[in-house]
């Protein structure tokens, strides 16, 4: 029999690999095939999209415009980013609480942003940086509300893209609001969030420009610059925590 070292975390599959491999192979052979219906594949002509389909609200003196038509792709993407920035604000709220909890164990749980980004970064404490990033997410949310209204949409109505984004972000919210997750694990989740946020704003700026909304495109590009900074900061913090902390359980 194989000797097992003290404090080993080996599972039975590692200690006796042959039966485990056979079991996994057998499971693969009898696995039930996934149907198109199970993963939500559908004919757009025969099924509804997720969420409501906001049309342009009626202006004063106009006949009511029905809200059952499909949104323009720009309005849908604006709604998508709106849902993302709403979630982003909540995620930074949770990250601030997670950081304060980590500070009770280690006062230097995170380095200043300047130390991970270089001399171009602002002279801030980590909590000041977190609060600024949170405030910028909220500013982006407000900007998107104004943009949707400007285009004749309703920011309180959920577009299909917003619905999907809210569902996707809910998992990240669970990670950050879980009392059992560490600061390092939360930063890892935030890197994924900020990567997606950067891609989303870049696409939105291009879409606005191609839709003839050049003013909005310029505003979105300015937001993208802020989001790129957000990504650089959380990536730097994650690297610092993972590489410089010998015992990750404390963060």
């Amino acid at each position: 029999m194989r000797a097992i070292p003290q404090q080993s975390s080996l599972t039975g599959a590692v200690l006796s690999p042959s039966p485990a491999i056979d079991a996994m192979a057998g499971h693969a052979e009898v696995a039930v095939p996934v149907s198109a219906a199970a993963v939500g594949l559908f004919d757009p002509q025969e099924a509804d999209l997720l969420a409501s389909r906001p049309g342009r609200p009626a202006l004063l003196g106009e006949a009511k415009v029905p809200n059952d038509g499909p949104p323009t792709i720009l309005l849908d993407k604006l709604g998508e980013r709106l849902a993302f920035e709403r979630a982003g604000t909540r995620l930074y709220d949770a990250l601030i609480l997670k950081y304060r909890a980590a500070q009770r164990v280690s006062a230097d749980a995170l380095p200043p942003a300047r130390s991970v980004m270089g001399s171009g970064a602002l002279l801030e404490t980590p909590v000041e940086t977190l609060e600024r990033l949170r405030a910028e997410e909220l500013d982006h949310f407000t900007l998107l509300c104004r943009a949707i209204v400007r285009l004749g949409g309703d920011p309180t109505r959920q577009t299909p893209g917003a619905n999907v984004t809210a569902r996707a972000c809910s998992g990240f919210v669970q990670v950050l609001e879980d009392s059992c997750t560490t600061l390092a694990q939360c930063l890892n989740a935030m890197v994924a969030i900020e990567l997606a946020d950067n891609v989303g704003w870049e696409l939105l700026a291009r879409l606005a420009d191609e839709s003839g909304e050049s003013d909005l495109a310029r505003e979105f590009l300015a937001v993208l610059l802020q989001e790129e900074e957000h990504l650089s900061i959380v990536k730097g913090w994650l690297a610092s925590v993972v590489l410089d902390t010998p015992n990750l359980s404390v963060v």
Side-chain angles (χ1 to χ4, degrees):
M1 180 180 291
R2 227 179 120 181
I4 304 176
Q6 287 189 343
Q7 298 182 339
S8 171
S9 60
L10 298 179
T11 66
V14 175
L15 297 175
S16 185
S18 182
I21 291 172
D22 291 343
M24 287 187 289
H27 179 269
E29 289 177 1
V30 299
V32 177
V34 178
S35 68
V39 295
L41 298 178
F42 63 89
D43 183 344
Q45 302 301 319
E46 298 180 1
D48 290 333
L49 294 173
L50 288 171
S52 60
R53 305 175 178 186
R56 182 176 64 81
L59 302 177
L60 186 63
E62 283 188 335
K64 274 196 168 183
V65 178
N67 276 333
D68 58 354
T72 66
I73 184 63
L74 180 55
L75 275 175
D76 186 45
K77 287 299 180 183
L78 284 167
E80 178 182 290
R81 295 259 51 76
L82 187 71
F84 205 100
E85 297 304 311
R86 181 190 293 113
T89 304
R90 181 176 175 184
L91 287 167
Y92 274 106
D93 280 334
L95 189 58
I96 290 169
L97 293 176
K98 192 70 69 170
Y99 169 67
R100 292 192 184 280
Q103 275 188 305
R104 293 199 291 267
V105 178
S106 172
D108 299 324
L110 288 177
R114 193 179 183 92
S115 69
V116 298
M117 290 189 64
S119 58
L122 297 175
L123 288 170
E124 301 170 316
T125 64
V127 74
E128 287 173 339
T129 301
L130 283 166
E131 288 171 348
R132 176 171 62 84
L133 301 189
R134 188 263 182 202
E136 289 174 352
E137 296 291 333
L138 184 57
D139 287 344
H140 302 165
F141 175 84
T142 304
L143 168 64
L144 289 161
C145 286
R146 291 200 307 267
I148 291 171
V149 170
R150 171 179 165 177
L151 295 178
D154 180 355
T156 67
R157 294 181 70 96
Q158 192 174 52
T159 69
N163 193 341
V164 172
T165 293
R167 293 187 187 192
C169 288
S170 65
F172 289 101
V173 171
Q174 290 177 43
V175 169
L176 269 84
E177 294 186 349
D178 192 322
S179 62
C180 296
T181 54
T182 68
L183 180 58
Q185 291 165 339
C186 291
L187 286 170
N188 198 72
M190 289 304 297
V191 168
I193 280 287
E194 291 295 359
L195 280 167
D197 212 7
N198 273 255
V199 172
W201 279 106
E202 181 181 8
L203 177 60
L204 189 60
R206 290 181 59 186
L207 186 57
D209 188 53
E210 292 181 7
S211 300
E213 299 292 340
S214 56
D215 289 344
L216 284 180
R218 281 191 292 272
E219 290 186 90
F220 296 160
L221 287 173
V223 170
L224 178 58
L225 291 176
Q226 289 185 327
E227 294 294 356
E228 288 172 348
E229 185 199 18
H230 293 190
L231 177 59
S232 296
I233 290 172
V234 295
K235 279 175 61 180
W237 277 340
L238 177 61
S240 175
V241 168
V242 171
L243 299 176
D244 298 341
T245 307
N247 181 10
L248 285 182
S249 65
V250 302
V251 293

